[in-house]
Amino acid sequence: MEVSNVGVVGAGQMGSGIAHVFAIAGYDVLLTDISADALANAVALIDKNLTRQVSREKISQEGKDAAIARIRTTTTLSDLGPCDLIIEAATERETVKQAIFEDLLPHIKPETILTSNTSSISITRLASRTDRPEKFMGFHFMNPVPVMQLVELIRGIATDEPTYRTLLGVVEKLGKTAASAEDFPAFIVNRILMPMINEAVYTLYEGVGSVKSIDESLKLGANHPMGPLELADFIGLDTCLAIMNVLHDGLADTKYRPCPLLTKYVEAGWLGRKTQRGFYDYRGDVPVPTR
């Protein structure tokens, strides 16, 4: 199937990044959210990030102007009806995602491909709640989307070959690299990454090291560009906890039990950078460890 019109559901950090890369690649993008303010903020962020790319000579000013012109916004989900491909990038809660797809179904074309940017939820289960499980896939971008090169493609048990091949072609047109993953909890990247972050939180919880010493150890001792606790703050501690719960519930293995300290931070509303406090306090000029 030829894809030219793309709908993106959710104008948060991931949704805005996805809209950005599709517009740059020449796709017409319709970005939707229940919040008009979120849509305005997303367009402003895309404009800012495109301007940065112009300043670094990654794209031309004409390329930036053309990309911005390809992005439209709406607060009405049914407006996505004519889209060839729809990417759901809403909050990481299965009930929310299911409700979005159920609301979309009466309005979309029979050939429209549905995808979810979920980082951990079962694609097979999400697909089964739609009228087209064979045209449903996981389309998991990494954060920040304009910078990160990987896209995980996750086939549900019913996903057909033409849908998979179409999305492989889309990823190639975006200038990114596809990694094909089977539909098991957290797929590839988060199946490996989140237990590492969770273990770093346990290391902090048990007093083996401080926030600073844990992050410095992994940066300087394992050549990681960012320490695991700093990375957790960047991802969002609520997202980290949600993925660990998916792993723990889906695989029934105690090695995936979320650290109680991670749960406590989420209960406190200390979710990382987005709330200005997590394992670091970001309210000053320089991030300060909170433990």
Side-chain angles (χ1 to χ4, degrees):
M1 179 183 170
E2 190 66 34
V3 173
S4 57
N5 298 299
V6 178
V8 180
V9 183
Q13 193 173 31
M14 294 304 294
S16 62
I18 292 167
H20 174 142
V21 298
F22 271 90
I24 284 283
Y27 292 95
D28 292 322
V29 179
L30 183 55
L31 180 62
T32 184
D33 198 283
I34 56 173
S35 165
D37 287 344
L39 289 168
N41 290 338
V43 172
L45 178 62
I46 293 167
D47 188 271
K48 176 183 173 184
N49 288 337
L50 287 169
T51 299
R52 184 183 295 121
Q53 288 182 299
V54 171
S55 69
R56 294 177 179 174
E57 299 183 346
K58 301 284 188 183
I59 60 171
S60 65
Q61 183 62 46
E62 292 76 16
K64 178 206 164 178
D65 294 342
I68 284 290
R70 291 187 195 107
I71 299 173
R72 295 181 297 119
T73 62
T74 180
T75 55
T76 305
L77 191 64
S78 60
D79 288 348
L80 272 60
C83 292
D84 304 316
L85 167 66
I86 294 174
I87 305 163
E88 171 275 313
T91 187
E92 191 70 356
R93 293 214 309 272
E94 189 166 348
T95 53
V96 172
K97 295 179 186 296
Q98 286 175 346
I100 288 167
F101 289 121
E102 286 168 8
D103 289 347
L104 274 170
L105 290 178
H107 308 287
I108 59 178
K109 302 180 295 185
E111 63 270 24
T112 297
I113 294 173
L114 293 177
T115 67
S116 176
N117 184 56
T118 179
S119 53
S120 60
I121 296 169
S122 167
I123 298 303
T124 298
R125 196 162 60 236
L126 286 174
S128 72
R129 300 290 293 270
T130 74
D131 63 354
R132 62 196 69 203
E134 72 285 351
K135 292 186 180 301
F136 194 109
M137 278 195 72
F139 206 21
H140 182 217
F141 289 81
M142 306 296 125
N143 185 32
V145 180
V147 175
M148 302 295 279
Q149 286 300 302
L150 185 73
V151 181
E152 283 184 318
L153 291 182
I154 306 100
R155 302 166 80 151
I157 197 168
T159 305
D160 64 23
E161 189 67 16
T163 299
Y164 173 68
R165 291 289 165 193
T166 297
L167 290 187
L168 270 180
V170 169
V171 174
E172 186 176 347
K173 188 174 175 182
L174 294 177
K176 296 189 181 293
T177 300
S180 298
E182 293 299 316
D183 186 24
F184 290 99
F187 319 130
I188 296 172
V189 172
N190 283 319
R191 172 76 175 263
I192 297 167
L193 176 64
M194 286 303 158
M196 183 197 76
I197 287 174
N198 194 52
E199 194 62 33
V201 183
Y202 267 115
T203 305
L204 178 65
Y205 176 62
E206 294 168 2
V208 179
S210 65
V211 168
K212 183 179 178 183
S213 64
I214 290 167
D215 276 352
E216 284 192 344
S217 294
L218 269 293
K219 283 193 284 190
L220 302 179
N223 206 26
H224 290 194
M226 191 182 290
L229 301 176
E230 183 185 2
L231 179 57
D233 275 358
F234 179 76
I235 294 167
L237 304 192
D238 52 339
T239 300
C240 294
L241 179 60
I243 295 170
M244 286 309 302
N245 280 325
V246 166
L247 280 166
H248 192 230
D249 295 344
L251 298 172
D253 192 322
T254 55
K255 72 180 181 180
Y256 298 116
R257 183 172 69 97
C259 179
L261 183 60
L262 178 60
T263 302
K264 195 61 62 182
Y265 268 74
V266 173
E267 288 175 345
W270 291 20
L271 308 181
R273 285 181 177 269
K274 61 188 173 186
T275 59
Q276 295 294 293
R277 276 191 290 187
F279 292 112
Y280 293 85
D281 188 326
Y282 299 93
R283 292 174 296 176
D285 293 334
V286 177
V288 177
T290 54
R291 290 180 83 86

